[in-house]
Amino acid sequence: MIEPFEQNKTEKIAGTDNSFGFGIVEVSDKLYVLFNSTINKLNLDGNKVDPISISYTFRRNLSEEFSQMFEEAWAQMEENYYDGNFHGLNWKKMKEYYQQFIPYLNNRADMRVMLNDMLAN
């Protein structure tokens, strides 16, 4: 005799949007979840989440970050490209040319486009 499957006991937690998924972390017998860029305390008894207000702001300097990424990408090609003459291309001049655009990059997509342009030469 085959027994029927047990009914699903999972309930949606009020106040969550599972469209992007989230991870649950346990700290000192309390459960926390990060979703929608907000830290929330998981309240299992109430079947809901309680947002936690934080006043910390993370600031980053994109120009410095992009400069570092550019230097590493350029050096990687300089040291490891299979043709030491870069097929006649002046690789050091390419660095000077593309480096001037770094202060004007607004996001990682802009950085990716610039690096792709540089590497396509």
Side-chain angles (χ1 to χ4, degrees):
M1 176 171 201
I2 298 175
E3 294 184 29
F5 286 109
E6 186 175 317
Q7 290 296 322
N8 189 354
K9 294 181 182 179
T10 303
E11 296 179 30
K12 182 175 175 165
I13 299 171
T16 64
D17 175 9
N18 295 341
S19 60
F20 296 105
F22 51 83
I24 297 174
V25 176
E26 183 175 1
V27 178
S28 302
D29 296 334
K30 292 182 175 80
L31 298 172
Y32 298 92
V33 61
L34 174 66
F35 62 91
N36 295 334
S37 302
T38 305
I39 300 171
N40 299 272
K41 183 178 176 189
L42 189 56
N43 180 344
L44 293 178
D45 294 332
N47 195 28
K48 64 178 185 166
V49 293
D50 300 318
I52 296 176
S53 176
I54 58 172
S55 61
Y56 179 77
T57 302
F58 177 74
R59 300 190 196 286
R60 62 182 180 190
N61 185 327
L62 286 179
S63 185
E64 287 180 11
E65 183 178 333
F66 292 156
S67 290
Q68 179 69 29
M69 292 167 66
F70 176 83
E71 289 292 332
E72 290 178 15
W74 185 87
Q76 183 70 14
M77 289 295 292
E78 170 76 6
E79 295 170 9
N80 298 303
Y81 194 65
Y82 74 96
D83 178 10
N85 292 323
F86 293 91
H87 299 287
L89 182 70
N90 185 334
W91 189 239
K92 289 185 175 34
K93 281 249 191 232
M94 294 301 292
K95 179 181 182 182
E96 292 172 14
Y97 177 75
Y98 282 97
Q99 213 165 20
Q100 69 180 328
F101 300 115
I102 294 173
Y104 304 103
L105 300 176
N106 295 313
N107 52 50
R108 291 181 188 276
D110 291 348
M111 178 69 175
R112 186 173 25 260
V113 168
M114 187 193 73
L115 287 176
N116 285 339
D117 287 348
M118 181 179 74
L119 295 173
N121 285 308

